[in-house]
Amino acid sequence: MYARQITVHNRTGLHALPASRLVALANGFSCQLTITGGQRPADPKNLLRLLAAGIAQGTKITVSGVGPDEREAVDAICRYIASLTD
């Protein structure tokens, strides 16, 4: 298992457009991924679950992965979240 923490700085958090792009990114990896720290744990490969997590600006989240490409997946997701702007 590999995990990293990151704070969401995007003013609008993970709303529909950035969340759908994150889902597309996550689905490019074979490992199992989880994001925790919002209102509930979320599978970043599932748009509805990711949106239901309610990840808003200022939320400190943990991105974790288990599987053969876990490190690449977690690092890519963290880079994506860090790059978000409104």
Side-chain angles (χ1 to χ4, degrees):
M1 180 174 144
Y2 177 70
R4 284 183 55 190
Q5 283 191 331
I6 187 167
T7 301
V8 177
H9 294 290
N10 186 33
R11 184 175 57 85
T12 55
L14 283 180
H15 62 86
L17 183 59
S20 65
R21 290 180 179 158
L22 191 144
V23 169
L25 174 64
N27 278 310
F29 297 97
S30 62
C31 65
Q32 179 183 2
L33 294 161
T34 305
I35 293 178
T36 54
Q39 295 174 1
R40 62 186 71 166
D43 175 358
K45 294 184 178 187
N46 183 304
L47 181 59
L48 293 179
R49 290 190 180 155
L50 188 57
L51 290 173
I55 300 171
Q57 180 186 29
T59 303
K60 182 181 275 188
I61 61 171
T62 300
V63 181
S64 58
V66 177
D69 55 357
E70 62 192 30
R71 185 172 294 273
E72 295 85 3
V74 170
D75 288 345
I77 289 171
C78 287
R79 275 192 308 272
Y80 172 73
I81 291 170
S83 75
L84 290 175
T85 58
D86 293 332

